[in-house]
């Protein structure tokens, strides 16, 4: 089984934290701009991880 590239664990952590933050901000606060920022960070980290692993 192949291993993930170096640093990919950090991207997975960023994606998980951004997902949790997005969920919390959208359900328990009225801070729409911060929710969008957290979602954007999560999407960017996941897209980067996908390209890093497969290409």
């Amino acid at each position: 089984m192949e291993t993930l590239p170096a640093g990919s664990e950090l991207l997975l952590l960023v994606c998980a934290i951004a997902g949790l933050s997005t969920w919390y901000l959208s359900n328990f606060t009225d801070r729409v701009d911060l929710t969008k920022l957290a979602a954007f960070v999560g999407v960017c980290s996941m897209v980067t991880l996908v390209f890093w692993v497969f290409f």
Side-chain angles (χ1 to χ4, degrees):
M1 183 170 182
E2 295 181 28
T3 60
L4 292 173
S8 61
E9 294 88 1
L10 181 64
L11 280 174
L12 286 170
L13 179 66
V14 168
C15 187
I17 291 171
L20 182 64
S21 299
T22 303
W23 171 80
Y24 179 81
L25 290 167
S26 68
N27 287 317
F28 298 110
T29 66
D30 293 330
R31 301 179 77 178
V32 176
D33 292 334
L34 193 57
T35 303
K36 289 180 183 179
L37 178 64
F40 181 72
V41 168
V43 168
C44 288
S45 66
M46 185 52 69
V47 168
T48 302
L49 184 62
V50 166
F51 278 112
W52 197 358
V53 168
F54 289 115
F55 298 109

